[in-house]
Amino acid sequence: MCGIIGITGHEDISAELINGLTVIQHRGQDAAGIVTLNGRFRMKKGQGHVSRVFRNFDPEAFQGKCGLGHVRYATMGSTLEVDAQPIAVNYPYGLAMVHNGNVINFQELRRRLYEDNMRLLDTSNDVALILYTFAAQLEKKDLKHLKVDDLFDVVSEVQDLVKGAYSALTIIANKGFLAFTDPYGIRPLVMGRKLTDQGVVYAFASETTVFDFLGYEMMRDLQPGEAVFIDNEMNVHSKILKQKKQAFCVFEYIYFAREDSVFHERLVASERVKMGKKLAKTFQEADIDPDIIIDVPNSAYFFASGLAEEVHVPYRRGLAKNRFVGRSFITPTQKERENVVKQKLNPIKDIIKDRKVAVVDDSIVRGTTSRHIIHLLREYGAAKVFFVSASPPIKFPCIYGIDMSVRKEMVASHYNDNEEIARVIGADAVIYQKLEDLQELYQDLPICDACFSGNYPTGITKEILDHIEQEKIGSDRN
Ligand code: AMP
C-alpha cells in the first residue's frame, strides 16, 4: 500500500506536496518522494519517513506549477531507493508518475515491453511498468497534434494491458495532468480543488484527510476505470473508460485509511463504528462474559466503542501506546515487527487486573500482535482474555497491494476453527466478524473482500497466485 498526491495549478506546490505527504505517512514508511515540473522535472526521493527525506529541503529549488508526491510501502520489490516513487521518463514525452496498488501480470508485461518496444525494465517496481506501458501506447499517437481523446485512448489501452489494482497520477510535460484508476476502482483516489489568487488549483490524493489539511474542497471519488485530464488552461476533461463491477478495497475502511478520511461518501470512523456494532450478535452468541471491552490502539477504538455500546459492556482504554513507534505491520521483517509490538503497547494495570477482558483489534493476520497482547494482559493480571477481530478471518493473499500475501503466515489460513486459533494465540476465546455480516454493510458499495473470501475481482490463475507468493517469500520484506 502507498499514498499518493498530485497538485496542478499552483505556482509553488512543493511545500504543499510535502505537507500533504506527512498526513498520509501511515500509508507507507519505506520511502517518500516528490517531483515538480518547471521547464524540467525536479525530483527528490529517498528512504524513510517524509520528515527524514525532506529534512534539508529547499522549496525554492522545486517551484513548479504541477507536481506529484508519494509515500511508499513496499509490498513487492525492494525497499531500496531505486524503487522509490515518483519516476520520470523523457521519451516520447516528459512523463512522471506515481501510483498506489499492485500489478499482477508483472512478468507478462515486462516481457511484452521488451519484445515489442525493446524496453528494459530495470526495477522491480510496478509503477515503472505502468509508465512504460503508457509511454509505449502514447508513442503510437500523433504526438505533435495530441488530443484529449488520444490520451483517453492511451489510458484505455493501459487498462486493457495492466491487470491488478492501480490509482495513478501522471504529469505529461507541456500538456497537462492525468489521473486514472483500474477498471474495478480497487484503490482509493479522490479529487479536490481550491481557489487561490492565481486561479483554481486541483489536487488528487489517496485520502481526503490531505484536502482537510491543505484547505482543498473535496469534489469526488474517481470512478472505477475513470480518467481525469486537466489541461494547461485548467480545463477538466473526464471519461469512464474500461469499467468493470466496482470492487473497492474494504480493508481501507477496516485498517488502512485514517479515521477522518471519507471514501464514497462514507467516513472511515463511522464505518468502523458500524462494524463494531455488527459484531454484537456474534459476540453475544459466544460463550463469554467479559467485564470490560478494550481496544488495541489506535485503529481499533471505533470498533471497540461501537461494540461496547451495543452489548452494554463498559469500554475502557486498557493499553497505553507509545505514539512515537510506527505501525507494527509496516516494517519489513517479522523480527522487526515483534520488537515494534513490544515497544509500542503497555497494559494499564488497574484497568486490567482481575478482570475478564475482551480486547478488540481490527484484524488478526499472522497472530504476532494478538499473541503478544494476550500474553501481556495475562501478565498484568487479566482473569480472562477474549480476542475480538473486527474483520473476518484473513485466509487469502492480497494481490492488490496489501502486505499479507503469504498464506502460510496467516493463522486463519492454517487453522480451521476458532478454538484452534484461540489456542495458538493464547486467548480464552476468539471472535471474528462474520463475512456475511461485513458484506451486509456494503450492499450499496461493491467491495473487494478477496482476503476473506478468496474471490478476486480481477480473476487470477493459480500460477500467478503461486508466483506472487513465491516472489513475496523471496523479497526483502519477509
Ligand atoms: P498480526 O500481528 O500479523 O496478526 O497483524 C495484525 C496487526 O497488524 C493488527 O494489530 C493490525 O492493526 C495490523 N494489520 C493488520 N493487517 C494489516 C495490513 N494488511 N497491513 C498493515 N497492518 C496490518
Side-chain angles (χ1 to χ4, degrees):
M1 191 69 70
C2 300
I4 57 174
I5 300 180
I7 302 177
T8 180
H10 221 287
E11 272 308 331
D12 175 18
I13 52 167
S14 57
E16 278 203 356
L17 287 171
I18 295 164
N19 288 334
L21 288 179
T22 61
V23 295
I24 50 168
Q25 182 78 82
H26 58 279
R27 298 185 68 88
Q29 300 164 11
D30 291 330
I34 65 163
V35 65
T36 57
L37 175 68
N38 187 3
R40 67 186 183 104
F41 287 132
R42 299 296 308 262
M43 177 139 31
K44 180 166 174 62
K45 54 188 180 178
Q47 280 177 271
H49 288 196
V50 179
S51 57
R52 177 169 185 263
V53 176
F54 294 98
R55 194 175 312 165
N56 300 315
F57 179 74
D58 172 16
E60 283 300 306
F62 277 72
Q63 280 191 339
K65 265 201 128 175
C66 63
L68 305 172
H70 189 267
V71 283
R72 177 154 203 256
Y73 164 38
T75 49
M76 282 293 164
S78 72
T79 56
L80 304 176
E81 195 165 324
V82 64
D83 278 332
Q85 299 188 35
I87 63 161
V89 292
N90 277 316
Y91 181 81
Y93 262 159
L95 297 171
M97 187 180 272
V98 289
H99 110 108
N100 171 208
N102 190 48
V103 174
I104 59 176
N105 59 338
F106 193 94
Q107 300 306 335
E108 176 208 325
L109 275 183
R110 186 207 288 255
R111 208 169 33 245
R112 196 186 170 113
L113 280 168
Y114 183 64
E115 282 164 12
D116 296 357
N117 307 88
M118 288 183 288
R119 282 235 157 85
L120 275 172
L121 202 66
D122 50 5
T123 93
S124 54
N125 190 340
D126 50 7
V127 71
L129 205 72
I130 304 175
L131 180 59
Y132 285 15
T133 305
F134 184 91
Q137 298 308 316
L138 193 59
E139 259 178 306
K140 297 180 188 161
K141 301 288 177 192
D142 176 0
L143 296 183
K144 279 221 166 83
H145 305 101
L146 198 65
K147 293 190 288 296
V148 176
D149 276 340
D150 293 331
L151 282 175
F152 286 158
D153 277 354
V154 169
V155 175
S156 176
E157 294 287 340
V158 170
Q159 288 168 331
D160 269 342
L161 292 168
V162 182
K163 311 281 184 231
Y166 42 92
S167 287
L169 301 174
T170 313
I171 297 175
I172 307 171
N174 198 26
K175 286 286 168 196
F177 190 99
L178 178 71
F180 61 93
T181 64
D182 66 73
Y184 302 85
I186 297 172
R187 294 279 149 240
L189 188 58
V190 290
M191 178 179 179
R193 77 179 148 209
K194 76 174 163 191
L195 271 176
T196 70
D197 337 336
Q198 299 157 31
V200 63
V201 183
Y202 290 100
F204 295 82
S206 297
E207 294 193 27
T208 57
T209 184
V210 171
F211 297 163
D212 295 344
F213 183 53
L214 298 179
Y216 284 80
E217 167 205 351
M218 160 71 173
M219 292 169 69
R220 62 188 185 83
D221 298 79
L222 259 69
Q223 297 306 303
E226 184 176 4
V228 176
F229 177 66
I230 299 173
D231 62 31
N232 283 341
E233 282 71 50
M234 302 308 285
N235 300 306
V236 178
H237 313 260
S238 72
K239 193 166 181 183
I240 308 252
L241 301 161
K242 295 279 150 52
Q243 187 172 65
K244 297 275 169 53
K245 183 170 183 250
Q246 188 173 26
F248 183 69
C249 170
V250 74
F251 221 74
E252 289 283 348
Y253 290 124
I254 294 175
Y255 175 79
F256 237 89
R258 232 172 76 157
E259 53 271 47
D260 53 344
S261 282
V262 180
F263 305 119
H264 303 291
E265 293 171 15
R266 291 164 175 250
L267 175 70
V268 172
S270 309
E271 294 305 293
R272 291 182 186 165
V273 172
K274 278 193 245 165
M275 289 178 206
K277 291 189 171 188
K278 203 72 180 160
L279 270 164
K281 195 160 160 274
T282 320
F283 189 86
Q284 279 161 335
E285 283 165 4
D287 188 18
I288 60 171
D289 53 346
D291 301 314
I292 52 165
I293 293 180
I294 68 167
D295 60 319
V296 179
N298 289 332
S299 43
Y301 164 73
F302 291 101
F303 306 115
S305 53
L307 171 66
E309 201 177 305
E310 204 69 7
V311 297
H312 306 292
V313 173
Y315 162 78
R316 291 283 178 281
R317 168 79 15 121
L319 290 161
K321 183 174 176 202
N322 179 345
R323 271 175 283 153
F324 301 97
V325 180
R327 281 184 163 189
S328 63
F329 211 97
I330 311 184
T331 48
T333 65
Q334 179 68 7
K335 186 86 209 118
E336 278 175 51
R337 271 192 291 267
E338 282 171 20
N339 286 337
V340 173
V341 178
K342 278 187 201 147
Q343 284 176 326
K344 201 163 73 168
L345 296 169
N346 198 32
I348 305 172
K349 211 185 251 165
D350 289 357
I351 292 188
I352 301 304
K353 198 166 168 7
D354 299 329
R355 293 231 166 86
K356 288 173 276 180
V357 181
V359 51
V360 185
D361 202 357
D362 50 82
S363 58
I364 306 170
V365 185
R366 304 166 178 91
T368 315
T369 312
S370 43
R371 196 178 306 120
H372 178 67
I373 289 169
I374 295 162
H375 178 75
L376 275 180
L377 292 171
R378 291 203 197 281
E379 239 179 39
Y380 278 69
K384 282 191 174 176
V385 184
F386 312 112
F387 205 89
V388 184
S389 164
S391 63
I394 295 178
K395 293 184 179 172
F396 301 92
C398 176
I399 57 171
Y400 304 124
I402 293 182
D403 182 25
M404 48 185 171
S405 54
V406 185
R407 264 166 294 183
K408 72 177 171 68
E409 289 186 353
M410 298 169 179
V411 272
S413 184
H414 245 323
Y415 301 98
N416 282 333
D417 59 48
N418 290 4
E419 275 102 78
E420 267 187 289
I421 296 174
R423 189 178 44 73
V424 170
I425 63 172
D428 291 289
V430 167
I431 291 143
Y432 278 106
Q433 181 86 259
K434 290 207 169 99
L435 179 55
E436 55 271 30
D437 286 345
L438 182 73
Q439 286 167 338
E440 217 177 280
L441 293 175
Y442 292 95
Q443 280 168 358
D444 23 317
L445 173 62
I447 51 167
C448 172
D449 55 25
C451 51
F452 313 126
S453 65
N455 298 327
Y456 294 96
T458 58
I460 182 92
T461 61
K462 184 170 177 318
E463 288 69 38
I464 294 187
L465 198 59
D466 289 347
H467 187 83
I468 290 175
E469 286 208 309
Q470 282 314 314
E471 275 210 326
K472 188 83 219 146
I473 292 166
S475 83
D476 295 353
R477 191 167 277 279
N478 285 278

